[in-house]
Every structure is written in C-alpha cells, then in structure tokens.
Amino acid sequence: MLKRRELLLTSAALALSCAKKSSTTSSRAVSAVIPSQPTKDGAGVSLNRALGNRALGMLDPFLMLDEFQTENPDDYIAGFPDHPHRGFETVTYMIHGAMEHKDSVGNQGRLRPGSAQWMTAGRGIVHSEMPKQERGLMWGFQLWVNLPAQRKMIPPRYQDIAPEVIPELALERGRVRVIAGSVEGKTGPVSGIDVEPLFLDVTLEKGGSLTVPTPARHNSFVFVTDGAMRVGSSREEVKKGHLAVLSAGEVLRLDGEQGRALVLAGRPLGEPVSRWGPFVMNTDDEIKQAIEDYRSGRLTL
Ligand code: MN
C-alpha cells in the first residue's frame, strides 16, 4: 500500500516537472501587429519606417527599422550625404540595388544585393550612404541597434559582409539567410555584438515552416517584406509591410503563406534611452555633449 502511494507521488512529481519543462520551452506568440509608416529621411529618401515610428518607438535593443523599396529614382537618388552617429549601431541589408558608404575614418565600400553592413558608431562617426545606381529597383533595410551604456563610446568599427559569406539554409519549402545568430547549424558571420542578435531573412512557400530557438527573454519581432507569413504559436497571418512583435518564449515558429520576412531577436539592455536624430545615448546631457562635439569637430576625434 505504502509502495503504491510512493509511486503516485512520483508520477505526480513527474507530471509537475513535465509541465514546468513545457512552459519554459514555450512558443512565442504575436503580441502586436504594426503597419510600417511612410516617411522621408536623409536628403529626401522615401522610405517606410517599421520600427521607431509613432506606433512603436523602439523594441529594446532595437531602435529603428526602415525599408526602402522603390523603382522610382526620385525616391532614393538624394541618398544620405555626410551625417554623424554616436552611441549605437546601424545595420544595412540590401536585397536589390547598390549603395556606397564612405566615412570619416577612411572606410569606403559598396553594398551589393544580398550584402550586409554592421556599423558600430561607438563614440562617433561621420559617414555618407549614397545610391550607386541612377535607375531600377532599390530595395534594402536599415536597422538601428542600441549599445549598452559602458560601450557607447568605443572606437567605431565596421563588419562589411559580402553576399557569399552569408550562409543559406535550404528548407523543404523555403530558405533562410543567416546574417547573425544561429539556426539549424548555420551561423551568421556577424560577430562580437553586445546584444547577441539573431538576424534572419526567411522565405517560405505555402506549407513550409521554420522553428527558430531564441533566448526566452530576448525581444523579438518579424517584419514581413513580401507576401505574407503566419507568425507565432497562433499562426497569425501577417502581411507585407507589417511588423509583428512577439511575446517572450524559447522558440519562434513561422509558417509559410508564400512570403518573406526579416526575423530579429536581441538581448534587451533595460537602460534609459535619450535619442536625438542620429545620436542615441542614455541621458539628455550626453545628447547635448554629442551635438556640441559634432559642431566643434570633436565627434570623431
Ligand atoms: Mn547613417
């Protein structure tokens, strides 16, 4: 009799531990869907702001996501002439078209279709980002990623990533380009970034699916860049031009609805953010200092 009771207790304990296990491997759900908003930036470039807009100011550590996608040269030809940055990172990812960057440190390079550039502005940089085409489709993205307080004033650095070095994972009904982080044994070339980012470019046909492991407390979003994608445990349909914010969880599930999406995740910094134009710091005084340093030519010293 006693033995039987012990057994029952054991199975109850087992059931409890299984319940705990399944709750920690929970799948992320969609907590909000936000349409991107048309705006202009640089010297008059038309773009859609998917993050860092009125609907969603930021998703720590991500500060902004812009998409430029147009065949009209008037929308992009003005580009982004010389401008400063301090205190964060700008990430450019090109799908179609060509951009050239030049900076105050002497770096110069061309962004081709399928390439990426992870630029850590740190204490300061002045650079230009200009289209290297006069006609045809220009399609790309710029993501802003925050730096932790103690790393905002590090020397600037670049990771220029050629299309060939971005690994591609072939799925039964789709493909994944891994720019940063890992999925199914493929690891992206971006390294040494404070917020431990995951950055994927996912294409799924109808019927295709992808399960991506993510550190449970990292913030994550999916921005649909073409067609539609079913996102999260509820398989909510998210259409092109919309950004789905995800709840916490250890896996992110995507199901194909004939579409393409950027998938981002990163460690939230949980620090105060003071931002003004091209500067992102922790306090208003640090922003004033950045503006003063830029005006007096000391930003890049
Ligand atoms: Mn810039």
Side-chain angles (χ1 to χ4, degrees), residues 80-81 83-85 88 90 92 119 125 127-129 142 144 278:
F80 302 85
H83 60 278
H85 291 296
F88 66 106
T90 70
T92 309
M119 192 278 283
I125 204 157
H127 74 165
S128 62
E129 300 158 290
Q142 186 159 98
W144 286 13

Side-chain angles (χ1 to χ4, degrees), residues 197-278:
L198 173 77
F199 183 175
L200 309 175
D201 176 6
V202 181
T203 303
L204 289 176
E205 296 166 27
K206 201 171 172 65
S209 72
L210 177 71
T211 302
V212 186
T214 52
R217 287 184 178 79
H218 284 198
N219 281 332
S220 180
F221 69 83
V222 174
F223 179 62
V224 179
T225 58
D226 203 16
M229 194 73 80
R230 292 196 178 272
V231 183
S233 48
S234 60
R235 296 167 48 87
E236 185 168 336
E237 189 183 48
V238 181
K239 292 200 164 97
K240 175 179 163 65
H242 289 71
L243 182 143
V245 180
L246 293 152
S247 64
E250 285 197 332
V251 294
L252 163 53
R253 166 94 190 223
L254 292 174
D255 287 278
E257 202 56 63
Q258 204 69 46
R260 186 169 181 178
L262 303 185
V263 175
L264 273 300
R267 179 171 63 83
L269 299 174
E271 294 176 352
V273 173
S274 177
R275 62 198 285 181
W276 184 85

